[in-house]
Amino acid sequence: MPYLVHSPEDRQEMLADLGAGSIDDLLVDVPASLRLRRLDLAPGLSEMETMARVRELAAGNRVFDDRLTFRGGGVYRRFIPAAVGAVLSKPEFYTAYTPYQPEASQGTLQAIFEFQTLIAELTGLEIANASLYDGATAVAEAAMMAVVHTGRPEVLVAPYLHPEYLEVLRGYAQGRGFAVREGTDPTEDTAALVFQNPDFLGLIADGAQLVEVAHAAGALAVACVDPISLALLAAPGEYGGDIAVGEGQQLGLAPSYGGPHVGFIACRQELVRRLPGRLVGEAHDGQGRRGYVLTLTAREQHIRREKATSNICTNHSLCALAASVYMTYMGPHGLQHVADVSYRRAHALAAELAKLPEVELLYPERPFFNEFPVRMKNVLHRLRALEDKGILGGLPVGRWYSELADVATFCCTELNDPRALDQLLEALRRPA
Amino acid sequence: MPYLVHSPEDRQEMLADLGAGSIDDLLVDVPASLRLRRLDLAPGLSEMETMARVRELAAGNRVFDDRLTFRGGGVYRRFIPAAVGAVLSKPEFYTAYTPYQPEASQGTLQAIFEFQTLIAELTGLEIANASLYDGATAVAEAAMMAVVHTGRPEVLVAPYLHPEYLEVLRGYAQGRGFAVREGTDPTEDTAALVFQNPDFLGLIADGAQLVEVAHAAGALAVACVDPISLALLAAPGEYGGDIAVGEGQQLGLAPSYGGPHVGFIACRQELVRRLPGRLVGEAHDGQGRRGYVLTLTAREQHIRREKATSNICTNHSLCALAASVYMTYMGPHGLQHVADVSYRRAHALAAELAKLPEVELLYPERPFFNEFPVRMKNVLHRLRALEDKGILGGLPVGRWYSELADVATFCCTELNDPRALDQLLEALRRPA
Amino acid sequence: MSEALSFELSRPDWPGPRLPEAGVQQPPAAESLPAHLKRRQAPLLPQISEPELMRHYGRLASLNYSISENFYPLGSCTMKYNPVANEAAAQLPGFAYLHPYQDESTTQGALELMHRLEAALCAVVGVDRVTLQPAAGAHGEWTALRMIQAYHQSRGERRDQVLVPDSAHGTNPASAALCGFQVVEVRSGADGRISVADLESKLNERVAALMLTNPNTLGLFEREILEVAEMVHATGAKLYYDGANLNALMGICRPGDMGFDAVHMNLHKTFTTPHGGGGPGAGPVGVKKDLEPFLPRPTIERRNGHYELDHERPQSIGRVRSFYGNFGMLVRAYTYILAMGGDGLAQASEDAVLAANYLRGRLEGVLDLPHEGPCMHEFVASARNLGEHGIKALDVAKGLLERGYYAPTIYFPLIVPEAVMVEPTETESKATLDAFAEAVQEVADLARSDPDRLHREPVSLPVGRLDEVAAARRPVLRWKPPSETAGESP
Amino acid sequence: MSEALSFELSRPDWPGPRLPEAGVQQPPAAESLPAHLKRRQAPLLPQISEPELMRHYGRLASLNYSISENFYPLGSCTMKYNPVANEAAAQLPGFAYLHPYQDESTTQGALELMHRLEAALCAVVGVDRVTLQPAAGAHGEWTALRMIQAYHQSRGERRDQVLVPDSAHGTNPASAALCGFQVVEVRSGADGRISVADLESKLNERVAALMLTNPNTLGLFEREILEVAEMVHATGAKLYYDGANLNALMGICRPGDMGFDAVHMNLHKTFTTPHGGGGPGAGPVGVKKDLEPFLPRPTIERRNGHYELDHERPQSIGRVRSFYGNFGMLVRAYTYILAMGGDGLAQASEDAVLAANYLRGRLEGVLDLPHEGPCMHEFVASARNLGEHGIKALDVAKGLLERGYYAPTIYFPLIVPEAVMVEPTETESKATLDAFAEAVQEVADLARSDPDRLHREPVSLPVGRLDEVAAARRPVLRWKPPSETAGESP
Ligand SMILES: Cc1ncc(COP(=O)(O)O)c(C=O)c1O
Ligand SMILES: Cc1ncc(COP(=O)(O)O)c(C=O)c1O
């Protein structure tokens, strides 16, 4: 059978060594009434047949050309350097466990240490952890940090936080027992003001001003940021944010129908002991050689159990590795270039869309990065028409916001070359 | 620039260290009249644009579904276990050079030693080398071994050796200065009788009888074999062959439009010092630890120069590794199973094809393995019609044999499931 | 061997990679963005070339032990072989490049895969529905407790306690606390199973659920599970199954049949999705009928031959993460299940149990075995017997690293002093198990003959034992440019 | 660390992998094949599981040094970075699964790629046409000599000699001999260049060609190449270029302009296709107009916007291998050329020359440098200066292995005693070059301070120095089942 290693003879030898006649002699503790006759699943397939079946399922999906994908909403098509895949496919990385034994895990540990540094640099904050599941749970973890740190009972959420992140936050709040209120008016009950920047519609918030408001009320400021945008936009650390979180999918990860991606979290030095999850730190051996270890574990579930800062154990280490490779490949210039190309193309597209009949920019005056909301007549119908032309148009946001029933957000990245923009505009001009 | 590592500053430092003002100071030996102003090629592209361009070229090819590919002629679609790709993508294997320094190349050396053993076992002969370029050059190398070993001036080739192999052999013969004659009647001038088994049409030769004929005339017998078929068919070593060669593509390598594939060669012990190319042997270090080294190098160009057994230096090591992984994955039972499935499906297809109007088996009485010749009216037209239905039908062999103008050879492997066979037959029944 | 940090390889004048130009008229952000929204100082990302980058990560990789090269008997983590075909499957463009917000009519293949995976998991653990959303085991625990919480609330009950055995994994109490529950610990008996008496004393109408692992973290099957389930249900509480040890049971018995109401599974353990040096994993949760209304939304439904995402679930606890789960891991797990089939999965669990008992037998007399066998898929030994020589579980672990083996889980579960928790899994050959047993023997012998030398091991790995205490006292959690660090150094 | 042979891991009762059933009525071969055509004894292939197989090759891989982890300054082999994008390109299904006998109308993309690659290579080396068929450099040499042979024959001349410098690579004389030519050696002068006087004395109407490498194998540019070309052509002979050292010249100068009539290129050196532990490579050959009629067939032609294979070439020497060349390597090389562009390739050669001269400078006084600089992309040092301590080039090589570097090429070219041939390439950072120079210094110091210790190195690799003499005296070239070997062992 695939992936099993014992020959019938091996099994006999091992059973004999145990003085057992059959496997049943080893399962004596299992009540007879519970023993299954057979596992009710189809019999196994050869690898050839398995892959044929899986390929069939993959073929049941329609993938749009990356050039012609203008839909984001938290997941974006971006150029992924071949280096990312080449590193992630190294079995020494992807078949290792959480690095509990540092002497035999320096590769993973150093890679995480580099990731922590990269995220800290990107967000402009002192410390970042080894990764979280995704952007949504990262927001929830940050909110809980604030609740514990301030001892206050509510978390305030500014408009247009990703609706799924908000939903997840509400779930954690219900469980943990704190309130979630929408608005930008903190009170003395407010543990944190959480805002996304750029927001779900793509619009850039004035981080400095929001931080000021939060701090004025004694609340923490939590920014949920787009990592690519930080090559151009003020970093949370620059405008006084206390905690920065976000989704790292754009840093070298494929959309993969929504996961696995990677959440990141960074904070000011004084909050470090409230951080959830793994932290890697520098250490030295008897000969003074530098190495890396999991550290400050007194925050974590395996040590503190119910008093831990979070329950997270397995995180998204390999996805964090992808992000590290991506950021290292790009460097400051590359990342800025990617961000700027995305920014300029999005603005070029916005300008052209605005000229189309029955299409208007929702907020012509507000600054945006590479995604922006557009109001268009029968938006759903027109988006469907685009699909028929092989174009994945903007994201209709009406499902989340009744007031935006006829609005879609369009985004551009380095993959949407000028010709692709023309194809989109052309298709919108001549619906057929 | 991609793949370069020096920053402008690095270059300056190095030049300064050399007391050179510019690179020109290091190129003083190049006559001014030869210096190029610029290299006349398009400017470089980003990886993203490069890959887009390459993908465009790949999209300019039409790949037929493996299930519906019935064309062989020396290159076959077969199931390739994911393990093969996973091993070949290990940089420690694919970015190493020929293992000149054994202490730092044991991975490659042991893998070759295993390959040599696998090929020796498969062919039933004592010794195999580390690989050759392909099946065609393997035939030529074997012929030259025989010419040198016997000191005789001609090589005799039995009918239906792969026409391209024959053409390559003629080229080597012209250069080296020996004759190539077609037939099965060796004389005292005959160094070797070369035969393919199964032959180019797929028909199984009586190896024992051909070997007898060759040996009776004091010639060597060289068999060009299909490695998969050897799981079922008598091995050259079993019927007294002196040298076995062949093409290893079917052992885990993709068609890749004809290359890279891998040639193999095996022989009887007494011929070992006439073998071309690399040989790996067991060795031991000062502590008695077992290791592997390149050995019997006195046969090779870097030692013997013009007296070497061959000029080959770089061979097809990584392709040989693929073959090793494939054979090790399959084991004797797996390989036999693959061969038997191919055999039975080919015979099922032959039986059904024979029932079609204006279709007949060329040699209904002769045994074949998994490929066989069929005579059909307007073969080219009918094959083209199959392509329109997404089926890559048999190989028309008229381009090589005027007498077989309306003949095509069809093959089956484990990929051509029964439903695929029906699709082919159905398509041939209703041409539309 | 050691490797510099990418930041230390960086050169300030490295220009960065070649990238496409914008090709549009719009001015660069630097000119058009309002000043107060602009970043002031560029992040200090490394500036290195692709060849240096690949060399850097190539060397880092070589510093790791991993399943691909080393036996990795890390108890409770099920480090079994990760089929390479799974990786090929997840990388198929039809899966990898699918956008989560595409119209369902264009993602039928993905939805069908998830629907079929749900059905397969239901069959394996014996539940009615499964949510594939949770990203890992702990996330699954929390998700299940949220559903149980919502269930009790829907019945107008406020149950604020969750019972957790003293042998439980740390995530159990942590997840309960994160969910607002008060954690009450239940003691284990001398036989290593949960003490039914102690459980009885702690069961009352305040209790929302009992969290159990079965086989428990000692690798022992909870013989009295049926009685336990009855007791728990009698008080109206729910029984929760921590699926980290499911690798012992496939095709042998099912948590659902034992009376568990909610069950999490670690696809990165039982179903061979790789651990990636700490994730990503996937922690689907299965539930019985009465918890079904509370499942996270969306669920995946098949309606007249068509798959769809159902968001209209009024009693749902809502989604527990963005989108639909770690889809890439779901593809891997489903590929594995297709290849194994029911027969294969059952054989896998039998082989896992056989291997653990065999290895346990080989270690008798070498290490302490505080509990009676047979064990299930893993067992917990103790290095207590080497204590007189000043040797601890940690030393045994390091000695095994020195000999080319990753170390078993140590100091867990907490109820066994000097615990050495060994899980061989079904994918290690008898030859490997024998060699490992000999290595443990060698370490035990060294503990007696030359404990000091053992204290110094490992000596042939990239680094020796690292001073974790010092590391935690003055944590250095990131690289800083020399200038900045200068001031700090002691 | 060592690894057993796959055959030693084999178990006789291992059933083998799961595979699809035939699903047809036909009887198995065992029943239907004539007895005399059937195999009698199954081959002794290993019988191991997939997890064992992957572990086996994972461990073997870890025993290798490779560019991905080690500086690999193997002179004459151009071990430069192999771009990972090239691998992705070659694996595109549109290339990988293309059958060589498909109708040309279905392979236009592949034909266009080859046609464009040919044009690019023509531009780099300055020739009129290129054949992409040869599988490696030596194969290219032979192919070119066959064309030159055919050319002379077509003009009714029988020229039976080929001139080869004493500094030439072994494949040069071997290829000439394989082509039926008598090899005549031409001496090198004191300055490391070919002796024009000696060449003159050996040039006559029997000479078919002179084979040259430029820069030559000493890494020195043949200053008098134009005079040499004139002399050779004056006698009606052809000038052949061994392209192994082309990495020194891209964008700087072109063999075609120097007067070479035929030029082979090693795509696995200059154009970054990986070496694969000894291939596959690709050795295209470029020729000037008058050799064009003799190119191997088929050639790739573009006719009214359509690409086709031209088999109708009456004067062709015929194909030199099956199909059209190592297409997968051609894809990689073309991908590399697209990314680099003309500017990039030129910079690459300049950087290669710069790196070689820089490293040469760093080694002055450490090893002997028998020839004056500047060098081109590589240089040949000599360990002669350590001879008095009983240290040879071999010992220097082993000392470098011990320090984490692959060794330079040693004992080649033959004209330099104790040759140590170093080629850093353009893809190694200055930091790496400096560290390597220090390692050589360390080895040289050890040669003086403790030569015995150096003789014992390497000590920390998987094996120490292996006894190659004993291995050749009683060659063991394959594994044999214990029973069979038993008798043999001494
Ligand atoms: C018994 C047990 N429960 C829960 C978990 C948590 O699972 P995860 O790491 O996937 O969050 C683990 C993982 O180590 C475990 O061993
Ligand atoms: C100078 C020189 N010529 C020819 C060759 C032969 O090339 P290949 O190994 O590709 O056959 C080499 C390869 O090492 C070489 O260095």
Side-chain angles (χ1 to χ4, degrees), chain B residues 10 108 130 160 171 187 225 287 294 352 386 406:
Chain B
D10 295 330
T108 296
Y160 298 118
T187 69
V225 293
Q287 300 170 43
L294 291 172
E352 291 305 314
L386 287 177
D406 53 359

Side-chain angles (χ1 to χ4, degrees), chain D residues 402-453:
Chain D
E402 175 66 20
R403 284 153 187 80
Y405 300 93
Y406 199 81
T409 296
I410 49 176
Y411 301 115
F412 174 72
L414 308 177
I415 59 173
V416 175
E418 299 302 324
V420 176
M421 184 189 212
V422 182
E423 180 179 13
T425 84
E426 70 276 17
T427 64
E428 295 293 338
S429 69
K430 180 171 171 300
T432 299
L433 301 179
D434 290 335
F436 176 74
E438 274 154 38
V440 179
Q441 178 69 65
E442 204 180 299
V443 170
D445 293 345
L446 188 60
R448 297 186 177 83
S449 65
D450 189 352
D452 291 351
R453 186 170 140 215

Side-chain angles (χ1 to χ4, degrees), chain B residues 43-243:
Chain B
L45 301 174
S46 67
E47 180 184 323
M48 182 188 128
E49 294 159 305
T50 301
M51 292 308 290
R53 178 73 189 105
V54 171
R55 260 189 248 99
E56 214 174 280
L57 287 168
N61 300 319
R62 177 170 178 203
V63 169
F64 291 84
D65 187 346
D66 53 9
R67 296 179 49 251
L68 299 176
T69 297
F70 297 91
R71 189 166 297 186
V75 173
Y76 304 82
R77 291 297 298 271
R78 285 202 177 272
F79 159 64
I80 301 175
V84 175
V87 171
L88 262 62
S89 67
K90 290 179 183 291
E92 300 92 332
F93 281 128
Y94 84 79
T95 75
Y97 200 82
T98 302
Y100 293 133
Q101 293 290 340
E103 302 86 351
S105 313
Q106 283 301 303
T108 296
L109 286 161
Q110 184 171 331
I112 295 173
F113 185 82
E114 292 180 357
F115 175 77
Q116 291 175 177
T117 306
L118 289 161
I119 294 299
E121 278 295 327
L122 206 55
T123 57
L125 287 161
E126 281 98 339
I127 307 297
N129 86 346
S131 80
L132 295 170
Y133 303 139
D134 69 350
T137 53
V139 166
E141 293 278 9
M144 292 188 288
M145 277 175 75
V147 167
V148 174
H149 185 70
T150 61
R152 296 178 172 190
E154 94 166 2
V155 165
L156 188 63
V157 179
Y160 298 118
L161 168 66
H162 193 301
E164 295 197 2
Y165 295 13
L166 178 58
E167 182 176 350
V168 171
L169 172 61
R170 289 193 186 286
Y172 276 83
Q174 273 167 36
R176 189 76 172 58
F178 60 88
V180 172
R181 182 165 65 88
E182 294 185 68
T184 51
D185 53 340
T187 69
E188 66 287 342
D189 282 344
T190 308
L193 170 55
V194 178
F195 61 93
Q196 184 173 329
N197 191 17
D199 68 21
F200 183 64
L201 300 182
L203 304 168
I204 303 173
D206 183 342
Q209 184 259 330
L210 288 163
V211 167
E212 205 181 307
V213 171
H215 287 176
L220 298 183
V222 176
C224 178
V225 293
D226 168 337
I228 300 281
S229 75
L230 289 182
L232 297 177
L233 302 185
E238 289 183 318
Y239 53 71
D242 303 287
I243 302 174

Side-chain angles (χ1 to χ4, degrees), chain B residues 97 133 313-314, chain D residues 76-77 136-138 141 169 171-172 213 217 242 244 264 266 268-269:
Chain B
Y97 200 82
Y133 303 139
C313 179
T314 289
Chain D
S76 203
C77 299
E141 296 168 16
H169 189 266
T171 51
N172 292 186
T213 314
T217 59
D242 174 336
H264 99 248
N266 300 70
H268 46 296
K269 294 179 179 181

Side-chain angles (χ1 to χ4, degrees), chain A residues 15-346:
Chain A
L15 283 169
D17 182 87
L18 291 162
S22 83
I23 189 72
D24 295 337
D25 297 345
L26 302 177
L27 298 173
V28 287
D29 290 337
V30 180
S33 65
L34 289 175
R35 282 302 299 277
L36 283 183
R37 262 121 244 65
R38 61 177 294 277
L39 179 47
D40 183 19
L41 283 176
L45 301 174
S46 66
E47 180 184 323
M48 182 189 127
E49 294 159 304
T50 300
M51 292 307 290
R53 177 75 189 104
V54 171
R55 259 188 249 99
E56 213 175 279
L57 288 168
N61 299 318
R62 179 170 177 205
V63 169
F64 292 85
D65 186 348
D66 54 8
R67 295 179 51 252
L68 300 176
T69 296
F70 297 91
R71 189 166 296 186
V75 173
Y76 304 82
R77 291 297 299 271
R78 285 202 176 272
F79 159 63
I80 301 175
V84 174
V87 172
L88 262 63
S89 66
K90 290 179 184 291
E92 301 91 330
F93 280 129
Y94 85 78
T95 75
Y97 200 81
T98 301
Y100 293 134
Q101 293 291 341
E103 302 86 352
S105 312
Q106 284 301 302
T108 295
L109 286 160
Q110 183 171 332
I112 295 173
F113 186 83
E114 293 180 356
F115 175 77
Q116 292 175 177
T117 306
L118 289 160
I119 294 299
E121 278 295 326
L122 205 56
T123 56
L125 287 159
E126 281 98 340
I127 308 297
N129 87 345
S131 80
L132 295 170
Y133 303 139
D134 69 350
T137 53
V139 166
E141 292 278 8
M144 292 187 288
M145 276 175 76
V147 168
V148 174
H149 185 70
T150 62
R152 295 178 173 191
E154 91 164 7
V155 165
L156 188 62
V157 179
Y160 299 118
L161 169 65
H162 192 300
E164 296 196 4
Y165 294 14
L166 178 58
E167 183 175 350
V168 171
L169 172 61
R170 289 192 185 287
Y172 275 83
Q174 275 167 33
R176 190 75 174 58
F178 60 87
V180 172
R181 181 165 65 86
E182 295 186 68
T184 52
D185 53 340
T187 70
E188 66 289 339
D189 283 345
T190 308
L193 170 55
V194 178
F195 60 94
Q196 183 172 332
N197 191 17
D199 68 21
F200 183 64
L201 300 181
L203 304 167
I204 301 172
D206 183 342
Q209 185 259 330
L210 288 163
V211 168
E212 207 180 305
V213 170
H215 287 177
L220 298 183
V222 176
C224 178
V225 291
D226 168 338
I228 300 281
S229 75
L230 290 182
L232 297 177
L233 302 185
E238 287 183 321
Y239 53 69
D242 303 287
I243 303 174
V245 295
E247 169 56 61
Q249 176 266 328
Q250 297 188 77
L251 304 172
L253 294 162
S256 189
Y257 205 44
H261 298 155
V262 58
F264 59 83
I265 184 166
C267 68
R268 288 190 291 104
Q269 180 72 49
E270 71 184 87
L271 293 171
V272 62
R273 284 187 161 70
R274 305 228 182 260
L275 271 176
R278 312 286 183 195
L279 276 173
V280 169
E282 187 180 297
H284 295 82
D285 71 6
Q287 301 171 41
R289 286 179 298 188
R290 180 177 70 177
Y292 301 91
V293 297
L294 292 172
T295 192
L296 300 186
T297 52
R299 300 164 299 105
E300 292 187 71
Q301 45 75 27
H302 62 287
I303 307 289
R304 295 299 296 290
R305 303 182 70 87
E306 63 268 29
K307 296 190 188 49
T309 55
S310 165
N311 67 333
I312 190 168
C313 180
T314 289
N315 55 30
H316 277 208
S317 203
L318 197 71
C319 302
L321 177 62
S324 294
V325 176
Y326 179 88
M327 288 186 273
T328 305
Y329 175 93
M330 288 297 173
H333 302 308
L335 201 68
Q336 194 169 41
H337 187 96
V338 163
D340 193 57
V341 168
S342 307
Y343 174 91
R344 291 165 72 178
R345 288 181 180 167

Side-chain angles (χ1 to χ4, degrees), chain D residues 126-169:
Chain D
V127 294
D128 299 305
R129 284 304 298 267
V130 165
T131 174
L132 301 172
Q133 274 190 40
H139 199 210
E141 296 168 16
W142 176 87
T143 301
L145 290 173
R146 284 275 300 135
M147 287 192 264
I148 290 169
Q149 187 173 46
Y151 164 83
H152 290 306
Q153 280 166 4
S154 75
R155 307 170 75 245
E157 299 185 343
R158 7 198 89 300
R159 292 171 175 256
D160 63 350
Q161 294 185 342
V162 163
L163 304 187
V164 177
D166 52 12
S167 64
H169 189 266

